[in-house]
Amino acid sequence: MTKKTVIIVDDEQAARQQLKEVISGFDELTLVAEAADGKSAIEQIMLKRPDIVFLDIEMPELNGFDVAKATQDLQYQLVFMTAYEQYALKAFDTNAIDYLVKPARPELIAKSIGKIIRQQTQIKPSGSTAYLTLSDHAQQKIIEFDHINYIESIGRYRRVHLTQPGAEIHNTETIISEQTLDGFCSQLPESQFYRLHRSYIINATQLLALKYQARKHFVLLAGADNPIPVSRSFVQTLKARIAERMHTED
């Protein structure tokens, strides 16, 4: 069994110790680092790339929201812990999957951990890391790569379009995210997802055709109502990748 890695961030030693004791009761988890301030937290998250982070909000210099923003392009489950209930609404504007008010009872911490483990087990195939975690309002969603059709940039937001199986699982056809397209590119496998335009990323497994019309190139995707534009600079690369995929499938 592959264990989920955990980082604890809290400027109070007693709070960190309580979390460690609860985490030690889960065979599925292993603690890989702890930090007592925001700067150290960012360094440890960048270095260790954990699956789960328990993050205090009120800390000297950099607070928990600063840490979450600095590491927002990394893929991990975030649980905020704070003594101040007024932060709850802002916490769920981030990618937080849960929010616990300190001092949190051990059974509530254990319940939060259990929720994370169950969610990953239900949606993510065993032994696979082929997924993204996205925040949809106050809910964290785990999206398999194969359930992403394409991603488009719309102003300051990105709209993730799901395939039909993905839409059925998550009960929505699209998810709005503040993550940048560059951020998505850093997490998605280049062999499967193509950044074929400054405003679009497509899942190559959904590609039906490359068309040329009115001096412009477009692609047609399964389940997509509208054609997706291809930038001139990517046309030859796209043709080469299509040929390579066809050769691999043969």
Side-chain angles (χ1 to χ4, degrees):
M1 177 183 65
T2 302
K3 292 190 174 185
K4 303 297 179 186
T5 55
V6 180
I7 289 179
I8 296 172
V9 182
D10 201 303
D11 61 343
E12 298 178 3
Q13 172 64 33
R16 297 200 304 273
Q17 184 60 37
Q18 181 194 37
L19 273 170
K20 285 193 288 187
E21 291 174 359
V22 176
I23 288 169
S24 67
F26 286 84
D27 293 335
E28 302 93 336
L29 305 180
T30 181
L31 180 66
V32 294
E34 55 182 288
D37 60 78
K39 182 179 178 181
S40 298
I42 294 171
E43 292 174 352
Q44 289 297 325
I45 293 170
M46 293 289 191
L47 178 64
K48 303 292 187 179
R49 303 296 175 106
D51 297 305
I52 304 168
V53 175
F54 287 91
L55 181 59
D56 186 21
I57 292 180
E58 282 289 340
M59 294 184 294
E61 297 183 19
L62 298 177
N63 64 31
F65 293 122
D66 295 326
V67 174
K69 184 176 181 179
T71 59
Q72 64 183 349
D73 288 338
L74 299 182
Q75 184 173 288
Y76 63 86
Q77 303 283 66
L78 174 60
V79 178
F80 274 120
M81 300 191 69
T82 181
Y84 303 94
E85 294 187 11
Q86 66 265 30
Y87 289 130
L89 207 56
K90 185 176 180 181
F92 283 116
D93 283 336
T94 67
N95 287 332
I97 191 172
D98 211 347
Y99 178 95
L100 299 176
V101 178
K102 297 193 299 185
R105 299 195 307 274
E107 57 267 29
L108 291 181
I109 300 173
K111 183 179 180 180
S112 178
I113 293 173
K115 180 170 69 174
I116 294 172
I117 294 173
R118 285 194 305 274
Q119 185 180 30
Q120 293 187 342
T121 301
Q122 290 169 357
I123 301 178
K124 182 171 65 69
S126 177
S128 170
T129 56
Y131 70 99
L132 287 174
T133 55
L134 295 176
S135 177
D136 184 20
H137 301 295
Q139 185 177 14
Q140 189 92 342
K141 292 183 179 293
I142 300 175
I143 313 295
E144 291 183 30
F145 290 163
D146 289 344
H147 289 162
I148 298 173
N149 194 351
Y150 67 98
I151 305 170
E152 66 173 325
S153 181
I154 45 173
R156 56 174 294 201
Y157 298 101
R158 261 51 59 193
R159 179 183 287 134
V160 180
H161 295 258
L162 303 181
T163 61
Q164 182 176 347
E168 291 174 355
I169 288 175
H170 298 285
N171 199 31
T172 183
E173 294 182 350
T174 62
I175 298 173
I176 301 298
S177 173
E178 292 186 350
Q179 182 161 249
T180 64
L181 286 186
D182 287 341
F184 279 114
C185 285
S186 69
Q187 298 181 58
L188 295 168
E190 186 178 356
S191 59
Q192 183 178 350
F193 289 88
Y194 303 162
R195 175 80 177 269
L196 45 63
H197 188 276
R198 60 187 174 86
S199 299
Y200 291 92
I201 298 172
I202 69 163
N203 184 345
T205 64
Q206 301 299 308
L207 183 59
L208 297 178
L210 172 63
K211 298 179 70 70
Y212 183 72
Q213 184 178 350
R215 301 172 64 87
K216 294 182 180 180
H217 284 87
F218 301 88
V219 293
L220 302 181
L221 302 180
D225 295 331
N226 300 313
I228 308 297
V230 182
S231 65
R232 291 183 180 180
S233 61
F234 194 79
V235 170
Q236 294 305 316
T237 301
L238 179 59
K239 288 180 178 178
R241 290 190 178 182
I242 291 173
E244 182 179 350
R245 290 185 67 88
M246 292 177 64
H247 177 72
T248 301
E249 290 172 359
D250 290 342

